[in-house]
Amino acid sequence: MKPINEEKIKFILNLKRKGIRDKEVLKAMETVDRKLFLDGIFKSRSEDDIPLPISCGQTISQPSVVAKMIEKLETNKSCKVLEIGTGSGYLTAILSKLSKRVFSIERHESLKKKAEWLLINNNFRNVICILGDGSLGIEYQAPFDRIIISAAAEDIPQILIKQLKYGGIMILPIGMSKDEQTLIKVRKEKSKIHYEEIFKVRFVPLLEGLPKIGNYING
Ligand code: SAH
């Protein structure tokens, strides 16, 4: 019999308390070990419901926010998903469990390489990691059933709306100030685009292009 992991039980109970109901999402959050995607002393805080630092001055997202984003994304095993802002690869791993194929874009080369290594070595095989500016999407792979962005933009990038299928869903934080960002759900229908505000969030900014070499340390 598998030993009961009390920290994991608390982790899942907290997600339920925060309103996460989808069984598949809860199962994926239980299966994917956040510790894998953290370094050094932060590994011991992996089951705390807080964002934590990763390299290049970025952060791994808060588990309850990740779970809400994925629940609202309504993925299924036939979805082709575009993720922008791979970061640690944690959300990518959860998406991998809940969709057919994930294309994940990161602008920091060292983060992209590390996440790619972790994902391959832990058997998340339906993921393709790409180095680039995610705000441009991937034209030659479009359209996507789902798009999810882990960095805040001032406005909804119109290029990405174009790369979303009719009937498709996009989840993203909008707002430039650190204190005034809102997580938005976009549903693209033939006749119109629907917007739903989910809740206030705090994400790193969606930046243009790739970082200049020497612009950051610890990468
Ligand atoms: N879900 C990730 C969050 C990482 S933080 C995790 O849980 O680890 C957001 C990431 O978006 C950062 O790694 C940052 O470098 C990346 N990012 C910001 N702007 C980007 C852009 N235009 N294209 C691709 N990645 C971008």
Side-chain angles (χ1 to χ4, degrees):
M1 209 165 68
K2 258 186 168 178
I4 296 171
N5 179 339
E6 272 187 38
E7 290 302 313
K8 202 49 153 226
I9 294 173
K10 274 196 221 153
F11 180 81
I12 296 300
L13 281 178
N14 178 57
L15 295 181
K16 289 186 178 170
R17 206 167 44 80
K18 295 259 170 99
I20 309 303
R21 294 283 171 264
D22 188 306
K23 288 207 173 70
E24 294 298 317
V25 172
L26 288 166
K27 199 166 116 196
M29 296 292 297
E30 190 179 342
T31 318
V32 176
D33 190 0
R34 190 168 179 245
K35 200 182 282 140
L36 279 178
F37 301 90
L38 286 163
D39 294 319
I41 53 163
F42 297 114
K43 280 189 184 290
S44 65
R45 312 277 319 258
S46 67
E47 270 144 355
D48 294 355
D49 192 18
I50 48 172
L52 290 165
I54 54 174
S55 60
C56 304
Q58 306 303 314
T59 50
I60 185 170
S61 310
Q62 183 177 345
S64 58
V65 173
V66 167
K68 183 50 89 184
M69 288 173 90
I70 301 210
E71 191 171 60
K72 289 282 182 183
L73 197 63
E74 297 176 34
T75 52
N76 59 57
K77 278 298 202 180
S78 60
C79 281
K80 177 176 173 183
V81 180
L82 172 64
E83 181 196 24
I84 296 161
T86 318
S88 65
Y90 175 56
L91 180 97
T92 324
I94 295 164
L95 286 171
S96 142
K97 293 250 169 232
L98 297 170
S99 44
K100 183 174 181 196
R101 184 160 288 279
V102 184
F103 294 86
S104 185
I105 314 181
E106 171 56 55
R107 64 189 286 280
H108 283 285
E109 188 171 14
S110 62
L111 285 176
K112 180 256 176 191
K113 281 190 175 158
K114 188 169 177 199
E116 189 171 44
W117 185 90
L118 280 169
L119 292 161
I120 291 172
N121 282 284
N122 288 284
N123 266 318
F124 297 98
R125 298 207 177 259
N126 55 345
V127 176
I128 295 177
C129 292
I130 296 153
L131 179 69
D133 180 352
S135 56
L136 305 174
I138 317 174
E139 217 182 320
Y140 64 90
Q141 283 294 347
F144 296 95
D145 299 291
R146 303 287 186 265
I147 299 180
I148 184 162
I149 314 182
S150 288
E154 196 165 358
D155 252 318
I156 300 174
Q158 289 307 308
I159 299 179
L160 298 179
I161 296 267
K162 279 203 192 118
Q163 294 185 18
L164 191 60
K165 254 186 207 164
Y166 287 116
I169 297 172
M170 171 155 74
I171 303 288
L172 77 167
I174 290 290
M176 278 328 266
S177 130
K178 270 193 181 160
D179 303 314
E180 262 314 307
Q181 296 173 4
T182 309
L183 195 63
I184 308 271
K185 175 172 179 170
V186 179
R187 192 187 286 271
K188 179 177 169 183
E189 301 295 352
K190 279 216 167 108
S191 53
K192 79 184 267 218
I193 294 173
H194 302 268
Y195 301 94
E196 179 198 330
E197 288 192 9
I198 303 171
F199 49 48
K200 297 283 174 213
V201 282
R202 192 182 268 207
F203 277 86
V204 297
L206 185 74
L207 299 174
E208 274 179 23
L210 297 190
K212 290 191 185 74
I213 292 168
N215 228 8
Y216 57 90
I217 49 165
N218 198 21

